[in-house]
Amino acid sequence: MTKALQSVPYVSSVISIGSTPLGGDYPIRIQSMTNTDTLDTKASVAQCIRIIEAGADYVRLTAQGIREAENLDVIKKELRKAGFNTPLIADIHFNPVAAETAARLVEKVRINPGNYADKRASFEKQEFTEKEYHDELERIHTKLLPLINICHENKTVIRIGINHGSLSDRIMTRFGNTPKGMVISALEFIRIFMAENFSDLVLSMKSSDTAIMIEATRMLVNMMQSEGLSYPLHLGVTEAGEGEDGRIRSAAGIGALLAEGIGDTIRVSLSEDPEKEIPVARKLAGYYPRGIYHEAPDKPLTFKVPLSKPEIFKRINGPLVVSNMTSYPVLDAAGYKKAGYIADTLTGEIKKTDSSADLIIVKNCPEDIPENVSFILPYRIWNENRRKDRLYPLFSPETFHESSFKSEKLNVLLTGSNFNIEYLKNPDPDSTLVIFTFNPENEQYAADFFLNALEENNLIYNIILNPVFRENNLNDLQIKASSLLGRYILDRRIGGISITNIGDVDISDVTALAFSILQCTETRITRTIYLSCPTCGRTKFNLQESVKKIKEATGHLKGLKIAVMGCIVNGPGEMAGANYGYVGAANGRVHIYRGTVPVLKNIPEKDAVEELLRVIEKDQANL
């Protein structure tokens, strides 16, 4: 991963998209995209209005052909007649003539360098000599020139939208399907626009993989800073999914960059009605408003999780989850359930699941300690019960420093924003966990200052971050916790998380949220991974319904990654990391993929989920 938190803040230039400026010190702009047929004027206008009334600053519509591009003018006039002046954006793939048509009619056009002048990627190597590669860039330049001239004349903004799922074969042959390949693809187009003195550009680096999206965007920012460029940036995680997972995956990726002062406009891509994306995006932008980055430390964050864990946790593949149950008076079956455990309906035996907390913090020692349950206790109470297994003492760094009794297996130190680094210099990192507690409402960068202090003093511990929220709404807690913790987890800065909430959200939901954040960042997999696109006018089947059916049929397949894509524009590429794909091919028809290879084509939609499951079960049987 590229380094987090740039030492020199990225300040974008200001451009005007219609009457709504973007970049600089202007607020972070919110947008969504319609999923109606762009030729259906009535439906498209109605959906645009719902998106605008939900709070969008811009609305994007697909224009896959010239007829769709031309109808943008009709849609725009109907919106203006209804009193809505929100700028419109045309989304273009594969069709330069559609882009040129739309550029005369709307305020902004999004083009994809992976397919604007190149054919659909075949994922086959295309070796070029230096001259041949240069000739290809000249061909692209020639192809772009008409669009550039039209945008010059009409003051139309262009977004160079790079998708990890649709890089050209030429780029992938030389640079791979990688963040670097994404940045080089953007650079090639930037150079062409600069040569033509066109600067009304917005850039985006999108992927369904949050880590790739973050790394590519950081790399692009570093490149632009080194060359004195400052184009505004559009942020988004493609195919984020629906429901909780879609919100968490988007918040983790977008929030990580907003926290670093990166991002001018955002779109949260959910497999739901597009107007439902706007409140999520608004909350993200509100949590990291323009200028908050100035509260961050000047030094870039580079602290890394130590290679070794305390011995008792080496069996756990990924960050730890610690559940704070100190407010729960008695740990009966209901209490254990809130920490992710289950009780046998016949025997009452407490059993661990993939979503059970690794450690539970309690005030008092339980009389009976179930197998595979581990507790953190105040150190004096631990000392009274130290002969029992799976009990570990909780100290402040000061009391640990002074204490005459300590655990040989694991000691847990609880500290916060007023830490004294001197008391953290003696513990053995192989037998110590440090829980850092802070208030994220007014200390969003407290963890950065703490981790920097550890690094400056050559102290390497597994750190458990414990933000303490005060939320009464689970959706708000999901967005805030995911956007806050995502970058530390994705950058491998911490050893685990412990979310505390003082508010009207059940503890079981808080525990589940911790595991969902790790699941959606793919740092600890405890269930099936689903990717699904938000749909657009290219989608020819009921994607939302298909997602639900696929989840019902495959939810037991822990660890598999299954992608549900509305069309084949980005589908095969975004599925590069998926085991299986369900991709729209034509009206009511679906292709079934194994990786990036279609194994069944043009399956009727009514049979497609069953056929997908049949392919998976056959593969599983042959393992």
Side-chain angles (χ1 to χ4, degrees):
M1 292 284 290
T2 50
K3 68 181 181 180
L5 286 173
Q6 311 302 311
S7 55
V8 179
Y10 180 76
V11 180
S12 59
S13 55
V14 176
I15 62 173
S16 290
I17 302 175
S19 59
T20 306
L22 175 70
D25 293 327
Y26 284 99
I28 296 164
R29 304 300 188 186
I30 308 301
Q31 60 180 278
S32 183
M33 183 175 178
T34 62
N35 59 17
T36 53
D37 182 345
T38 309
L39 293 175
D40 187 339
T41 301
K42 183 178 179 180
S44 296
V45 169
Q47 195 172 74
C48 285
I49 290 172
R50 290 196 296 273
I51 293 170
I52 294 165
E53 289 182 336
D57 298 296
Y58 311 121
V59 178
R60 182 157 45 112
L61 304 95
T62 187
Q64 61 266 51
I66 297 172
R67 290 175 61 226
E68 287 84 358
E70 289 173 340
N71 204 52
L72 292 173
D73 189 40
V74 181
I75 293 169
K76 182 177 177 179
K77 286 176 180 175
E78 288 296 313
L79 286 169
R80 300 297 180 259
K81 193 188 302 181
F84 296 95
N85 295 311
T86 302
L88 300 184
I89 304 166
D91 191 76
I92 309 294
H93 291 275
F94 300 110
N95 199 327
V97 179
E100 294 159 15
T101 303
R104 294 184 173 93
L105 305 172
V106 297
E107 288 82 1
K108 180 181 171 187
V109 173
R110 179 275 173 115
I111 61 172
N112 183 343
N115 58 40
Y116 190 83
D118 291 299
K119 295 179 181 178
R120 190 185 313 279
S122 63
F123 300 92
E124 295 178 358
K125 286 200 169 188
Q126 291 185 356
E127 299 291 352
F128 290 94
T129 65
E130 286 302 317
K131 181 181 184 307
E132 288 171 338
Y133 198 94
H134 177 77
D135 290 344
E136 281 293 295
L137 294 181
E138 285 299 312
R139 179 181 63 83
I140 294 169
H141 192 147
T142 301
K143 199 88 169 180
L144 275 170
L145 203 51
L147 177 65
I148 294 172
N149 291 335
I150 291 167
C151 290
H152 260 308
E153 293 168 11
N154 292 273
K155 297 185 175 6
T156 307
V157 174
I158 294 176
R159 170 156 71 99
I160 300 176
I162 309 296
N163 272 35
H164 180 230
S166 54
L167 296 177
S168 68
D169 285 326
R170 176 177 49 79
I171 287 288
M172 286 193 285
T173 296
R174 186 166 285 202
F175 302 100
N177 194 15
T178 62
K180 183 176 181 180
M182 294 170 69
V183 172
I184 296 299
S185 182
L187 262 177
E188 290 180 351
F189 270 54
I190 290 170
R191 303 271 185 249
I192 292 170
F193 283 103
M194 289 176 65
E196 297 298 331
N197 197 31
F198 187 92
S199 58
D200 284 341
L201 296 176
V202 180
L203 307 177
S204 66
M205 301 274 123
K206 288 195 173 186
S207 173
S208 59
D209 186 315
T210 50
I212 288 174
M213 170 262 195
I214 292 168
E215 183 173 0
T217 305
R218 285 175 179 161
M219 196 181 296
L220 178 67
V221 166
N222 289 337
M223 177 278 296
M224 287 200 290
Q225 286 183 314
S226 68
E227 298 193 18
L229 304 175
S230 57
Y231 299 112
L233 293 164
H234 169 122
L235 304 182
V237 178
T238 62
E239 287 76 45
E242 52 92 48
E244 177 189 71
D245 282 1
R247 285 157 175 75
I248 290 173
R249 188 175 283 114
S250 291
I254 295 171
L257 293 167
L258 292 180
E260 296 173 17
I262 297 170
D264 301 284
T265 177
I266 61 178
R267 191 252 172 126
V268 174
S269 298
L270 301 176
S271 300
E272 302 174 27
D273 295 336
E275 59 266 27
K276 292 184 179 179
E277 299 175 351
I278 304 303
V280 182
R282 281 273 168 227
K283 287 170 185 172
L284 270 172
Y287 195 50
Y288 288 108
R290 185 73 81 192
I292 194 172
Y293 175 67
H294 295 295
E295 298 175 13
D298 294 333
K299 180 180 179 292
L301 185 59
T302 56
F303 183 88
K304 284 288 186 183
V305 170
L307 295 176
S308 63
K309 288 182 180 178
E311 187 66 35
I312 60 171
F313 298 122
K314 288 187 177 177
R315 59 184 170 76
I316 297 171
N317 185 21
L320 304 176
V321 171
V322 179
S323 182
N324 183 352
M325 299 289 289
T326 54
S327 63
Y328 207 80
V330 180
L331 269 182
D332 53 11
Y336 285 110
K337 185 176 179 181
K338 291 181 183 298
Y341 291 81
I342 60 173
D344 188 286
T345 53
L346 295 177
T347 66
E349 181 186 358
I350 302 301
K351 295 184 177 181
K352 188 176 179 63
T353 72
D354 287 334
S355 299
S356 300
D358 304 302
L359 288 164
I360 302 175
I361 306 176
V362 290
K363 285 183 177 179
N364 299 296
C365 182
E367 288 188 19
D368 297 315
I369 301 175
E371 189 176 352
N372 293 323
V373 183
S374 298
F375 294 98
I376 300 173
L377 299 164
Y379 70 99
R380 292 188 187 278
I381 297 175
W382 169 83
N383 190 46
E384 296 168 3
N385 297 272
R386 62 194 303 174
R387 292 193 179 127
K388 295 181 180 180
D389 289 334
R390 300 184 304 283
L391 296 180
Y392 307 104
L394 179 67
F395 301 89
S396 70
E398 291 80 1
T399 54
F400 181 82
H401 188 75
E402 299 164 358
S403 178
S404 59
F405 50 85
K406 296 166 185 173
S407 171
E408 295 179 358
K409 293 181 179 179
L410 178 69
N411 297 287
V412 183
L413 276 58
L414 178 66
T415 189
S417 302
N418 296 320
F419 64 92
N420 184 336
I421 198 69
E422 294 302 316
Y423 289 110
L424 290 166
K425 289 184 176 179
N426 294 325
D428 175 7
D430 289 332
S431 62
T432 307
L433 280 182
V434 178
I435 299 178
F436 182 75
T437 299
F438 62 104
N439 178 359
E441 291 303 319
N442 52 28
E443 300 177 311
Q444 279 174 290
Y445 296 97
D448 297 88
F449 285 100
F450 178 66
L451 295 174
N452 277 339
L454 292 178
E455 186 175 52
E456 288 167 2
N457 286 273
N458 296 313
L459 302 176
I460 302 175
Y461 299 113
N462 274 284
I463 305 299
I464 309 296
L465 285 192
N466 177 36
V468 181
F469 295 95
R470 297 178 179 273
E471 300 298 327
N472 294 316
N473 180 280
L474 177 58
N475 286 337
D476 290 347
L477 180 62
Q478 289 170 345
I479 292 165
K480 288 185 176 182
S482 305
S483 61
L484 178 79
L485 295 168
R487 64 191 175 96
Y488 302 106
I489 295 166
L490 286 161
D491 290 340
R492 307 298 198 270
R493 310 290 187 204
I494 57 176
I497 57 177
S498 176
I499 302 169
T500 299
N501 186 64
I502 304 170
D504 192 20
V505 177
D506 195 273
I507 297 174
S508 60
D509 290 326
V510 177
T511 303
L513 173 58
F515 280 99
S516 290
I517 292 173
L518 301 183
Q519 171 83 14
C520 291
T521 54
E522 298 187 35
T523 52
R524 181 172 175 179
I525 305 303
T526 52
R527 46 191 163 87
T528 316
I529 305 169
Y530 296 100
L531 305 176
S532 60
C533 74
T535 79
C536 67
R538 301 182 191 91
T539 304
K540 302 301 181 185
F541 68 96
N542 190 328
L543 187 136
Q544 292 182 30
E545 190 62 33
S546 294
V547 170
K548 291 176 183 176
K549 289 179 180 178
I550 289 168
K551 284 187 172 182
E552 288 173 3
T554 62
H556 60 290
L557 300 171
K558 174 188 169 183
L560 282 187
K561 183 185 286 189
I562 300 173
V564 188
M565 304 295 177
C567 71
I568 55 176
V569 169
N570 296 318
E574 291 294 0
M575 293 188 309
N579 302 101
Y580 299 95
Y582 179 108
V583 183
N587 198 9
R589 297 281 171 170
V590 173
H591 289 350
I592 304 298
Y593 281 71
R594 182 185 293 113
T596 57
V597 179
V599 292
L600 296 173
K601 291 189 174 183
N602 294 312
I603 304 299
E605 183 185 351
K606 65 181 179 63
D607 303 322
V609 174
E610 186 178 335
E611 291 295 335
L612 170 65
L613 191 59
R614 186 174 288 119
V615 170
I616 295 172
E617 288 175 345
K618 184 178 179 181
D619 289 350
Q620 295 274 314
N622 292 330
L623 288 178

